[in-house]
Amino acid sequence: MSNFIIQFIGFVAWLFLVASYWRKKVNDVLILQVISCILFAIHYYLLGAMSGLYIVLFEAIRDFIYYKSDNDLKLFYCSLPIYVLIAVFCFNGIASVLPSLASLIDGFSLTGKKKFVVVGGILSYLVWIVYDFFCHSYVGMVTNFILVCSNILVLIKSFFEQKKVN
């Protein structure tokens, strides 16, 4: 398949992800992230990046369960063995562990309030940038950098909104 098409699929996945972080309700964030995860899974599969593929598939399931759950923190702790299994199963050098690390950060941040989710997103996307470099997901590197910037803007906006209230 053409590299252009593979990168385009990643770009569309990113669009859903960006839209998710501008939503006010955590459940709206999660629904858009499930769609994004499915598209990113296709993207990583076509790149042959198996650890990225398995993590984003797991994230789609995890995010859907978070959406349906009232106890996200308990679900996060129950999912820890899955992160380890994916990291071990897909191990092909240190870079192959990065998706598990990024998803751990993201999964834990989804157990908190919106600001916590945004900060976790920043950290998670920084790790994904490194992974994308190793697996040649060029659109992933650029889009994750933009997501980091976008999440920083969300934090700044909420800071100023909070100052107005006080």
Side-chain angles (χ1 to χ4, degrees):
M1 183 172 282
S2 156
N3 191 40
F4 174 79
I5 294 171
I6 295 169
Q7 299 301 325
F8 181 75
I9 291 168
F11 177 75
V12 173
W14 169 77
L15 289 176
F16 278 98
L17 203 50
V18 168
S20 77
Y21 280 104
W22 289 94
R23 305 303 298 178
K24 292 197 183 283
K25 296 179 185 175
V26 173
N27 285 345
D28 291 344
V29 171
L30 295 176
I31 289 169
L32 291 173
Q33 285 187 358
V34 167
I35 295 168
S36 175
C37 286
I38 292 166
L39 291 170
F40 270 122
I42 294 166
H43 174 74
Y44 286 119
Y45 172 77
L46 294 172
L47 287 172
M50 294 300 111
S51 57
L53 163 69
Y54 291 124
I55 282 296
V56 296
L57 287 175
F58 173 64
E59 285 179 341
I61 295 165
R62 178 204 67 195
D63 291 354
F64 181 76
I65 293 170
Y66 276 12
Y67 173 71
K68 295 291 187 182
S69 170
D70 291 332
N71 194 344
D72 295 343
L73 191 58
K74 181 179 178 183
L75 286 171
F76 171 75
Y77 289 126
C78 290
S79 69
L80 289 175
I82 297 170
Y83 290 111
V84 172
L85 285 173
I86 291 172
V88 169
F89 176 70
C90 294
F91 187 79
N92 188 19
I94 195 70
S96 66
V97 177
L98 294 175
S100 292
L101 176 61
S103 187
L104 270 168
I105 294 167
D106 183 56
F108 183 67
S109 71
L110 290 174
T111 66
K113 297 197 183 291
K114 184 177 179 183
K115 285 183 186 176
F116 192 62
V117 172
V118 173
V119 171
I122 292 169
L123 297 173
S124 176
Y125 295 127
L126 289 171
V127 175
W128 276 109
I129 288 170
V130 176
Y131 178 71
D132 288 336
F133 172 79
F134 284 105
C135 72
H136 306 287
S137 175
Y138 308 116
V139 72
M141 287 186 294
V142 172
T143 58
N144 283 320
F145 175 75
I146 293 169
L147 280 170
V148 168
C149 295
S150 172
N151 284 1
I152 290 170
L153 290 175
V154 169
L155 283 179
I156 291 169
K157 179 183 173 194
S158 68
F159 173 76
F160 284 114
E161 286 175 353
Q162 187 177 15
K163 264 191 144 174
K164 276 185 184 178
V165 172
N166 295 331

